[in-house]
Amino acid sequence: MRKRVGLTAFVLLVGALLVGVPFVWGSDLLGPTADYAAPAATVGESMAASEAPTRKAAPAPPTAPPLPPALLHPATVAVDATGFWSWTVLDRRTGALAGSANANSAQRTASMIKAWLASDYLRRNPDPSRSNLSELSEMIRNSDNDAASYFWGLDGRSASITRLIQTCGLTDSKAYIDWASTLMSARDAARMGACIGDGRAAGPKWTDWLLNEMRNVAKDQKFGITPALPASEQAGTAVKNGWIARSDGKWHVNCLAIGGDWVLSVLTVYPASKGQGYGENICSSVAKQLQA
């Protein structure tokens, strides 16, 4: 009788324990086991997916507002003139060029090339003597031909024009006989002006000095483009004009001006009987029309 009671009590105890296991297993009182770890991992992955931010397409970069026209800008130009004339205007902010249909036709530069002769020397000789610096100033301000011949020699003559083409990215120009006979198109002259203005030509040390010299050329050499500009712009415009009546009976009058956001070049060739003023007036007419 005692054995049967003991066995019954044991069975009742085991039954009570088995009834309690599912509740304890599903509670937070026990840590995960190998059998329970898989659902936990699944829950973790689901949470990561639900918490991940939704990706949106990157917004388009803001469009820069269009630049206002430069003081001198592309426009229709008409000049009633005998002989050859061409022009190019360059936007210094963008490098954009516009010009006459014959803007790629090369003509003799005359004294216009002196701005490059000074640039080439100063870039390669950043510590010039006082004497040479004075000669450079005379060459730019007063268009001294002897000084130009001197620096033409120091610059290596035609080698200087080769460097000009390479440094300033010219496409229509070449050396010919002497410095005054250098052949250059209107669009290349504008490129040269931009090259001087941005420092590639004379280098960082001397660019400001050279531009100041070009802003202070002798009064009788500020013909053509400068008088056609608003009075407020004239003093700040750098110029180097070229003019020569050659033995072939023709005047070559060329104008180069560098403004704050533009460069303009005008080349002319016409019968010598018309005088220098004829070419000067063509330069002025083009500059006026490009301000319209």
Side-chain angles (χ1 to χ4, degrees):
M1 189 69 180
R2 287 180 180 177
K3 290 182 181 181
R4 187 175 296 176
V5 171
L7 179 59
T8 300
F10 175 79
V11 170
L12 291 174
L13 177 60
V14 170
L17 288 173
L18 289 175
V19 170
V21 166
F23 174 77
V24 174
W25 190 260
S27 75
D28 293 330
L29 299 179
L30 296 178
T33 66
D35 291 338
Y36 194 68
T42 301
V43 171
E45 290 169 4
S46 176
M47 290 175 62
S50 64
E51 293 172 0
T54 304
R55 292 187 178 182
K56 298 181 180 179
T63 303
L67 293 172
L71 175 64
L72 300 188
H73 51 267
T76 300
V77 173
V79 179
D80 184 10
T82 299
F84 170 91
W85 60 275
S86 65
W87 62 273
T88 294
V89 65
L90 181 149
D91 190 321
R92 292 184 62 190
R93 302 165 300 179
T94 64
L97 292 163
S100 56
N102 59 350
N104 63 339
S105 179
Q107 303 293 333
R108 298 173 192 256
T109 61
S111 292
M112 188 173 66
I113 197 64
K114 291 172 181 174
W116 167 257
L117 297 180
S119 298
D120 194 29
Y121 180 79
L122 289 169
R123 187 187 66 261
R124 297 181 305 110
N125 299 275
D127 298 305
S129 66
R130 286 188 179 183
S131 175
N132 278 355
L133 198 59
S134 177
E135 286 293 303
L136 288 169
S137 180
E138 188 71 14
M139 180 174 70
I140 298 300
R141 293 192 182 215
N142 297 310
S143 205
D144 187 279
N145 288 339
D146 290 338
S149 295
Y150 173 65
F151 287 105
W152 169 250
L154 291 181
D155 288 344
R157 301 172 68 85
S158 62
S160 181
I161 305 307
T162 299
R163 287 192 294 272
L164 165 61
I165 293 168
Q166 294 172 343
T167 302
C168 300
L170 309 191
T171 57
D172 314 313
S173 304
K174 66 179 180 179
Y176 182 63
I177 304 176
D178 55 26
W179 58 265
S181 299
T182 300
L183 295 173
M184 183 177 294
S185 66
R187 67 182 181 182
D188 273 0
R191 289 166 176 156
M192 180 179 74
C195 189
I196 291 170
D198 66 23
R200 285 174 290 157
K205 183 175 181 179
W206 290 103
T207 294
D208 289 344
W209 180 88
L210 178 59
L211 289 172
N212 184 65
E213 295 298 300
M214 295 173 69
R215 294 184 185 108
N216 289 281
V217 298
K219 187 176 180 180
D220 63 349
Q221 296 179 33
K222 290 189 175 183
F223 60 77
I225 297 171
T226 304
L229 301 176
S232 60
E233 297 290 329
Q234 294 181 12
T237 299
V239 301
K240 189 67 200 85
N241 296 326
W243 63 99
I244 187 171
R246 300 190 62 85
S247 58
D248 60 2
K250 294 180 180 178
W251 265 104
H252 293 249
V253 176
N254 304 317
C255 304
L256 174 66
I258 306 169
D261 54 9
W262 56 269
V263 177
L264 175 62
S265 66
V266 184
L267 310 184
T268 72
V269 184
Y270 53 88
S273 60
K274 293 186 175 294
Q276 180 180 334
Y278 190 79
E280 295 177 4
N281 289 337
I282 294 174
C283 292
S284 292
S285 178
V286 173
K288 289 176 181 177
Q289 293 180 66
L290 293 177
Q291 296 175 66

